[in-house]
Structure formats: structure tokens, C-alpha cells
Amino acid sequence: MITKALEGPNVDSMLATKLDELSNKPEGAMLKMMIPLFGGSVEKMVTMVKPMITGMCVGLSDVLVESFDPGVIDVAKVRKELDGLMTEKLELLTPEMVKALLEEVIREHLGWPV
């Protein structure tokens, strides 16, 4: 599942962005020294590094799944908190705000002039 996700269309550009960001930090100094070996392009580096990252993610995901404790999260408490937040937000809505939101949805999705 992780391998399939890492084969997605935007993964290479995301990896390139993250590697570039990392190379500009002190902890990425070694990475910055390696970029010239790949023609000065982080994008070219991604093709070489991606199989290693995929392998690490697969192994790491197995460890995370094994150590995940669903008892840590109190579902009832989370639901109660979400319910409180939603109620608070609904109380902030005025009839004018609802009208404006509905008009925007109708215009955007139905193309009707409102």
C-alpha cells in the first residue's frame, strides 16, 4: 500500500521539494554536497534516492502499525470535542452568511446566476 502511494504522480516533485528544503538546512549539508554529483539537480537525485526511501517507508510503516495503540485515543472524547466545535461554529452562522454561502455554491457548481 505504501509502495503504491509512493508511485503516485506528485510524489517525485514532493520529494524533490523536500530534499531541496533539507539541503538548505544545517542537517542537510551532506545532501547539499551530493547534489552536484547529480548534475546539480535535486530532481535527478530523486530517481536514485526514491527506491531507498520507498524501502525505508515500507519498513517504518510496519513498525508503526505494530506499535500503534488504539487505546491511546479516546474516541468518545474526540467525538464530544468535535460536536462542541461544530455547535460553536453553527452558532456563529447568520442567515446572511448562509445565504451568501448557498449563492456561491449555486453559482459555482450549477452555473446559475443568483
Side-chain angles (χ1 to χ4, degrees):
M1 187 163 122
I2 296 240
T3 306
K4 187 175 182 180
L6 290 172
E7 292 171 357
N10 298 327
V11 174
D12 286 0
S13 62
M14 188 258 324
L15 282 174
T17 301
K18 294 297 180 185
L19 286 172
D20 189 47
E21 289 172 3
L22 179 62
S23 72
N24 291 315
K25 295 179 180 179
E27 58 268 24
M30 181 180 263
L31 181 63
K32 191 168 193 97
M33 289 189 300
M34 299 207 43
I35 292 174
L37 299 173
F38 295 92
S41 170
V42 176
E43 289 80 12
K44 291 178 184 175
M45 181 183 268
V46 168
T47 57
M48 297 296 288
V49 175
K50 190 174 178 181
M52 179 188 68
I53 292 174
T54 303
M56 286 176 28
C57 287
V58 170
L60 184 59
S61 68
D62 294 340
V63 171
L64 291 173
V65 167
E66 289 173 10
S67 63
F68 179 72
D69 181 11
V72 172
I73 300 171
D74 183 4
V75 176
K77 185 177 178 182
V78 172
R79 284 184 179 162
K80 185 177 179 181
E81 192 172 329
L82 282 173
D83 186 43
L85 289 170
M86 291 300 293
T87 302
E88 182 182 322
K89 290 296 181 184
L90 285 172
E91 289 172 356
L92 294 174
L93 284 176
T94 64
E96 293 80 21
M97 291 171 71
V98 172
K99 180 181 175 187
L101 290 169
L102 285 174
E103 286 177 355
E104 183 181 335
V105 168
I106 290 170
R107 264 190 234 102
E108 184 176 329
H109 295 287
L110 300 176
W112 296 353
V114 180

